[in-house]
């Protein structure tokens, strides 16, 4: 069904959250239908299923086979993010639907937040802030000493673009690097471990920068956390699904590990409340790429990919 004032602009379903200024820019080129969440079924959506040629969405939105089957003329799923674990790439590939992402433009900001979480957990930055605000400095004096990153080993799970940038930052803070990947890299000299347990045993801080999805689901469970040990920290800037959250709650509450810095969770925005009482945990609302500069660049790239598809040109960032 065509609405009044519709032009010949290609119709794109946009699933929030995507910054408003990107949505405004996208409207200039596409006839947008906006959903607050992929599960929403607004009349505008349900009445225009056969007009939708593209989807723009955060990479974690669940655009599965059932969703894509609703859209007979779907050509492209453009993910706003480097991760595209929400899109069913198998179905997309089998049905000639392209999937794109926004790599590189977010690498620095995501690595920055990874480093910030390492510093925040080891140096107890957030604990210190609460300590001052609660008036404890005046009453109790200085707080307990903290852990220095210098001299500690950072174990990176998934040494891709973001992992490498995190490694660079950590080296500047005096940390040494070890890693585990699906395959060993031949372009780095960092020691390689063949699985997550061996890596956790070998490091002091275990940072997750690998993709989400089924291949890494619950990769970090009780055994890995036990191997990390009571002086070890877990940092997650990848996907919440990579960690068995029940095992993490146990590891934190029973001091099996020293602490955790977490930006991502399995069921966002729901964070396991069992973690809330623990000061050794630093929690963030999935904001590693959330700077104005990076989100603008991600939005522009998402639009570039959609535009290229509708113009019949090669896609800048096709992943499936
Ligand atoms: C989100 C991310 O996509 O790039 C990723 O994979 O997780 C983020 O950048 C972004 O938060 C979208 O809302």
């Amino acid at each position: 069904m065509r609405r009044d004032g519709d032009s010949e602009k290609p119709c794109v379903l946009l699933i929030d959250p995507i910054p408003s200024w990107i949505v405004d820019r996208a409207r200039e080129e596409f006839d947008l239908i906006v959903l607050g969440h992929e599960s929403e079924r607004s009349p505008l959506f349900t009445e225009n299923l056969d007009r939708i040629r593209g989807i723009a969405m955060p990479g974690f939105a669940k655009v599965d086979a059932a969703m894509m089957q609703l859209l007979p003329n779907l050509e492209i799923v453009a993910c706003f993010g480097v991760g595209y674990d929400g899109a069913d790439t198998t179905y997309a590939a089998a049905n000639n639907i392209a999937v794109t992402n926004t790599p590189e433009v977010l690498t620095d900001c995501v690595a920055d937040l990874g480093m910030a979480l390492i510093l925040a957990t080891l140096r107890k930055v957030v604990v210190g802030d609460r300590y001052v605000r609660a008036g404890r400095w005046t009453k109790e004096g200085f707080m307990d000493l903290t852990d220095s990153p210098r001299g500690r080993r950072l174990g990176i799970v998934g040494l891709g673009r973001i992992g490498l940038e995190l490694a660079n930052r950590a080296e500047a803070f005096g940390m040494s690097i070890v890693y585990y990947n699906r395959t060993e890299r031949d372009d780095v000299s960092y020691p390689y471990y063949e699985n997550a347990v061996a890596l956790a045993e070998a490091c002091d801080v275990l940072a997750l920068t690998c993709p989400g999805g089924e291949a890494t689901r619950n990769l970090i469970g009780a055994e890995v956390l036990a191997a990390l040990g009571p002086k070890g920290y877990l940092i997650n800037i990848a996907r919440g699904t990579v960690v068995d959250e029940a095992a993490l709650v146990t590891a934190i509450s029973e001091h099996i590990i020293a602490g955790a810095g977490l930006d991502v969770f399995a069921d966002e925005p729901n964070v396991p409340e069992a973690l809330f009482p623990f000061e050794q945990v630093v929690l963030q609302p999935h904001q590693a790429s959330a700077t104005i500069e990076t989100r603008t660049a991600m939005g522009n790239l998402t639009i570039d990919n959609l535009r290229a598809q509708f113009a019949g040109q090669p896609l800048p960032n096709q992943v499936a």
Side-chain angles (χ1 to χ4, degrees):
M1 188 177 91
R2 195 163 276 273
R3 291 163 294 148
D4 287 349
D6 273 346
S7 63
E8 294 310 310
K9 291 175 186 172
C11 184
V12 170
L13 176 69
L14 185 143
I15 300 172
D16 262 337
I18 290 186
S20 60
W21 63 95
I22 296 298
V23 178
D24 291 344
R25 259 209 64 204
R27 245 184 240 293
E28 291 168 14
E29 298 188 42
F30 313 119
D31 176 21
L32 283 194
I33 294 174
V34 178
L35 293 184
H37 187 269
E38 65 269 18
S39 60
E40 200 180 295
R41 293 288 174 261
S42 69
L44 192 57
F45 173 59
T46 53
E47 288 164 13
N48 286 281
L49 299 174
D50 60 351
R51 291 187 52 239
I52 294 171
R53 294 175 59 193
I55 298 180
M57 62 168 219
F60 49 76
K62 289 279 157 288
V63 172
D64 54 13
M67 173 80 162
M68 289 191 246
Q69 272 159 8
L70 292 174
L71 310 173
N73 295 311
L74 185 64
E75 296 168 37
I76 177 170
V77 176
C79 296
F80 174 77
V82 67
Y84 49 90
D85 44 302
D88 183 335
T89 50
T90 311
Y91 180 88
N95 289 277
N96 204 23
I97 299 166
V99 179
T100 61
N101 69 347
T102 63
E104 282 157 22
V105 293
L106 46 63
T107 301
D108 279 324
C109 276
V110 176
D112 287 349
L113 194 89
M115 196 62 226
L117 283 173
I118 294 173
L119 293 170
T121 48
L122 272 68
R123 299 300 312 274
K124 309 268 182 287
V125 178
V126 182
V127 177
D129 179 87
R130 291 196 199 108
Y131 194 82
V132 173
R133 287 170 200 258
R136 292 180 62 189
W137 191 11
T138 50
K139 289 194 207 103
E140 299 171 43
F142 288 110
M143 65 181 219
D144 291 343
L145 299 185
T146 64
D147 289 337
S148 169
R150 184 160 296 277
R152 283 187 157 74
R153 275 179 138 198
L154 176 64
I156 298 181
V157 177
L159 195 67
R161 282 176 291 246
I162 293 170
L164 283 171
E165 279 304 322
L166 180 62
N168 287 340
R169 283 155 179 72
E171 284 184 307
F173 283 86
M175 302 185 84
S176 58
I177 312 297
V178 289
Y179 77 105
Y180 159 63
N181 241 13
R182 264 172 313 185
T183 48
E184 186 171 1
R185 294 186 68 125
D186 56 14
D187 57 348
V188 296
S189 56
Y190 304 135
Y192 173 73
Y193 288 82
E194 280 183 350
N195 58 64
V197 175
L199 183 74
E201 251 160 28
C203 73
D204 306 294
V205 179
L206 187 68
L208 313 181
T209 55
C210 56
E214 287 315 308
T216 56
R217 187 176 293 280
N218 291 337
L219 175 67
I220 308 302
E223 198 188 349
V224 176
L225 296 168
L228 187 57
K231 294 190 168 170
Y233 292 90
L234 177 73
I235 304 295
N236 192 1
I237 52 170
R239 282 287 181 267
T241 50
V242 181
V243 176
D244 174 346
E245 287 183 338
L248 178 61
V249 168
T250 304
I252 290 292
S253 59
E254 296 181 6
H255 302 281
I256 292 165
I257 65 171
L262 309 171
D263 185 45
V264 285
F265 304 90
D267 179 31
E268 295 174 6
N270 302 306
V271 175
E273 289 189 17
L275 293 173
F276 289 1
F278 297 104
E279 291 229 300
Q280 66 272 39
V281 180
V282 177
L283 303 168
Q284 293 290 297
H286 196 151
Q287 61 131 346
S289 70
T291 62
I292 293 166
E293 296 81 359
T294 288
R295 288 286 166 89
T296 300
M298 289 162 62
N300 289 339
L301 214 46
T302 306
I303 292 173
D304 290 348
N305 279 291
L306 289 165
R307 188 192 300 122
Q309 172 66 31
F310 302 135
Q313 288 164 359
L315 306 181
N317 309 104
Q318 185 159 8
V319 289

